[in-house]
């Protein structure tokens, strides 16, 4: 049942998430291994959907004299993000600057209803995905509000299906030549506007970005038409099956999901 306000005690969930920063997290190891290379030469790291700051902590190890911006819609997590930064500075004092922005990145400024789950790691703007959650109003801002010209920027994004709306607010980042994106594409997407990972990749492609899959995340970087077409074709079958299974959730969707699951198992056996 959905409630209102922020009365739920999330201290145990926050502690659990904070511990993960210092432990081996199997689902994130490939991404973390790639992170130093993605951050090379960056002057800014923007973490959209920062949660308790897992990527903030690890980015601080690779950056020097850079700006780290943690954007998190869940108001419960602001204090945890600030604590993470203190841990990060103790771990690696590299002269980086840090700030927290408590807002959701959306396609227009204003406010939205946000649904805070008990475990906190799957809180979302989409109530239909959550059986039990606490509802709260949060401010929204466009991603371009954080744009700075001529500074190489890596934007990491993990926002539970709202990727397309966020990118619609990033015209300056998408149009410049000094921004790259590191995005977790959630297969359920944004059903209200019928935008799924396939449409997100199409948006990037139209704006001149190549797409490289890094386990659960995708790295988008500006590239020429031939190279980005080649990479797009390499991820298209996977994204197309995700689109079918989520866009048509009936018998067709279930059949496609089973096929996709089988192919994923084969892929993991061939390329562990």
């Amino acid at each position: 049942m959905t409630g209102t306000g922020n009365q739920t005690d999330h201290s145990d969930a926050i502690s659990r998430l904070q511990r993960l920063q210092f432990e081996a997290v199997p689902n994130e190891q490939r991404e973390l291994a790639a992170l130093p290379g993605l951050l090379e030469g960056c002057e800014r790291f923007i973490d959209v959907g920062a949660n308790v700051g897992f990527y903030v902590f690890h980015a601080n190890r690779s950056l020097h004299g850079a700006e780290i911006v943690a954007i998190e819609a869940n108001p419960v997590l602001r204090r945890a993000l600030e604590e993470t930064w203190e841990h990060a500075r103790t771990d690696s004092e590299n002269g980086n600057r840090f700030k927290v922005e408590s807002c959701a990145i959306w396609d227009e400024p204003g406010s939205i209803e946000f649904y805070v789950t008990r475990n906190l790691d799957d809180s979302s703007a989409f109530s239909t995905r959550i059986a039990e959650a606490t509802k709260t109003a949060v401010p929204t801002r466009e991603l371009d509000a954080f744009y700075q010209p001529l500074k190489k920027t890596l934007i990491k994004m993990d926002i539970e299906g709202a990727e397309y709306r966020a990118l619609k607010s990033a015209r300056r980042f998408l149009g410049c030549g000094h921004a790259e994106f590191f995005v977790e594409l959630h297969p359920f997407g944004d059903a209200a506007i019928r935008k799924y990972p396939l449409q997100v990749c199409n948006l990037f492609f139209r704006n001149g970005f190549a797409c490289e899959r890094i386990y659960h995340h995708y790295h988008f970087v500006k590239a020429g038409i031939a190279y980005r077409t080649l990479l797009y074709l390499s991820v298209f079958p996977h994204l197309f099956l995700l689109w079918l299974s989520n866009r048509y959730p009936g018998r067709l969707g279930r059949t496609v999901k089973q096929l996709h699951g089988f192919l994923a198992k084969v892929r993991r056996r061939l390329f562990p």
Side-chain angles (χ1 to χ4, degrees), residues 2-8 10 74-76 114-116 133-137:
T2 302
T4 58
N6 291 310
Q7 294 89 355
T8 306
H10 295 286
N74 189 343
V76 174
F114 190 81
Y115 298 85
V116 179
T134 301
K135 182 173 68 175
T136 186

Side-chain angles (χ1 to χ4, degrees), residues 12-13 34 45 48-49 59 65 74 98-99 122 136 146 181 198 226 235-236 249 253 264:
D12 289 342
F45 175 63
V48 183
N74 189 343
F98 175 72
K99 67 177 179 178
D122 59 352
T136 186
F146 302 94
F181 294 79
L198 179 61
V235 300
F236 177 80

